[in-house]
Amino acid sequence: MKIYMDVCCLCRPFDDQTSGRIRLEVTAVQEIIRRCAMQEFSMVTSEVIDEELSKIPNIRKRLRVGKILSVAEESILIDERIISRMHGLITLGGDAMDSLHIACAERAGAVLLTTDDGLITFFKSNRDIQVHIENPVIWLKEGRQ
């Protein structure tokens, strides 16, 4: 199974864990990363993720997330088809970066995991999206793996 985690998901292990929800998400993300490292799942990354990571001001956090991505087995490059798909998703109401992540996950045939409730809501309201988008806690709980 291919897993594409957006940047908010990849950064979750480094967030303040005083909130119960965040602690659960940290545990789920760490478990998914562990399974990717064990090659139980296949992690997919992209140029979009690289671009977003380059903008993280905290160098230590950026390097730690980069280390997580070192287990990725595939990287999606942005091309005209992905840009076109992004524009199509934007016309449906999607955010530009979220739309790029969706287009990359679709290209890879991967499930897109995110901790962004807005992205999950967008997915549930638009059946034109051709990948499953879910919170990592819910995805693991439902046994989608």
Side-chain angles (χ1 to χ4, degrees), residues 48 52 61 63 69-70 74 80 96 123 134:
V48 180
E52 276 192 88
K61 185 176 187 177
L63 291 172
L69 289 172
S70 70
E74 181 179 356
E80 289 180 27
F123 162 70
E134 192 59 81

Tab-separated table of all heavy atoms in Angstrom, residues 48 52 61 63 69-70 74 80 96 123 134:
chain	number	residue	atom	x	y	z
A	48	VAL	N	6.265	18.819	-4.255
A	48	VAL	CA	5.422	19.721	-3.471
A	48	VAL	C	5.844	19.659	-2.000
A	48	VAL	O	5.989	20.691	-1.346
A	48	VAL	CB	3.928	19.336	-3.596
A	48	VAL	CG1	3.060	20.277	-2.778
A	48	VAL	CG2	3.496	19.316	-5.037
A	52	GLU	N	7.410	22.701	0.293
A	52	GLU	CA	6.836	23.124	1.574
A	52	GLU	C	7.846	22.990	2.714
A	52	GLU	O	7.925	23.850	3.587
A	52	GLU	CB	5.583	22.316	1.906
A	52	GLU	CG	4.334	22.863	1.259
A	52	GLU	CD	3.089	22.239	1.836
A	52	GLU	OE1	2.567	22.757	2.848
A	52	GLU	OE2	2.641	21.221	1.276
A	61	LYS	N	13.625	21.079	12.821
A	61	LYS	CA	12.378	20.408	12.433
A	61	LYS	C	12.440	19.989	10.963
A	61	LYS	O	12.059	18.875	10.607
A	61	LYS	CB	11.192	21.339	12.683
A	61	LYS	CG	9.838	20.711	12.423
A	61	LYS	CD	8.745	21.706	12.805
A	61	LYS	CE	7.379	21.107	12.749
A	61	LYS	NZ	6.347	22.065	13.192
A	63	LEU	N	15.052	19.291	9.157
A	63	LEU	CA	15.959	18.146	9.006
A	63	LEU	C	15.332	16.859	9.522
A	63	LEU	O	15.507	15.793	8.920
A	63	LEU	CB	17.281	18.420	9.722
A	63	LEU	CG	18.161	19.507	9.104
A	63	LEU	CD1	19.347	19.816	10.005
A	63	LEU	CD2	18.611	19.111	7.706
A	69	LEU	N	11.404	11.382	5.519
A	69	LEU	CA	11.202	11.187	4.083
A	69	LEU	C	12.270	10.316	3.437
A	69	LEU	O	12.090	9.852	2.313
A	69	LEU	CB	11.114	12.535	3.371
A	69	LEU	CG	9.833	13.321	3.662
A	69	LEU	CD1	9.934	14.718	3.078
A	69	LEU	CD2	8.618	12.585	3.136
A	70	SER	N	13.352	10.065	4.149
A	70	SER	CA	14.406	9.216	3.581
A	70	SER	C	13.932	7.779	3.362
A	70	SER	O	14.552	7.041	2.607
A	70	SER	CB	15.660	9.248	4.460
A	70	SER	OG	15.423	8.565	5.681
A	74	GLU	N	9.329	6.430	-3.493
A	74	GLU	CA	8.912	7.049	-4.751
A	74	GLU	C	8.753	8.547	-4.530
A	74	GLU	O	8.313	8.975	-3.470
A	74	GLU	CB	7.576	6.432	-5.188
A	74	GLU	CG	7.006	6.945	-6.476
A	74	GLU	CD	5.691	6.261	-6.850
A	74	GLU	OE1	5.245	5.326	-6.156
A	74	GLU	OE2	5.111	6.691	-7.858
A	80	GLU	N	2.985	18.909	-16.331
A	80	GLU	CA	1.810	19.625	-16.823
A	80	GLU	C	0.503	18.953	-16.430
A	80	GLU	O	-0.487	19.634	-16.138
A	80	GLU	CB	1.891	19.786	-18.347
A	80	GLU	CG	2.953	20.767	-18.782
A	80	GLU	CD	3.016	20.925	-20.292
A	80	GLU	OE1	1.993	20.710	-20.977
A	80	GLU	OE2	4.103	21.292	-20.782
A	96	ALA	N	-4.664	25.702	-3.271
A	96	ALA	CA	-3.640	25.376	-4.277
A	96	ALA	C	-2.689	24.275	-3.803
A	96	ALA	O	-2.465	23.295	-4.519
A	96	ALA	CB	-2.852	26.627	-4.662
A	123	PHE	N	-12.406	16.648	0.568
A	123	PHE	CA	-12.466	15.334	-0.068
A	123	PHE	C	-13.871	14.746	0.031
A	123	PHE	O	-14.418	14.250	-0.949
A	123	PHE	CB	-11.462	14.376	0.580
A	123	PHE	CG	-11.728	12.929	0.304
A	123	PHE	CD1	-11.528	12.394	-0.962
A	123	PHE	CD2	-12.198	12.088	1.300
A	123	PHE	CE1	-11.781	11.051	-1.226
A	123	PHE	CE2	-12.455	10.753	1.053
A	123	PHE	CZ	-12.244	10.235	-0.215
A	134	GLU	N	-7.615	10.775	4.431
A	134	GLU	CA	-8.087	10.491	5.787
A	134	GLU	C	-7.076	10.956	6.824
A	134	GLU	O	-5.893	11.108	6.533
A	134	GLU	CB	-8.328	8.987	5.946
A	134	GLU	CG	-9.068	8.584	7.183
A	134	GLU	CD	-10.445	9.224	7.299
A	134	GLU	OE1	-11.392	8.716	6.667
A	134	GLU	OE2	-10.567	10.233	8.017
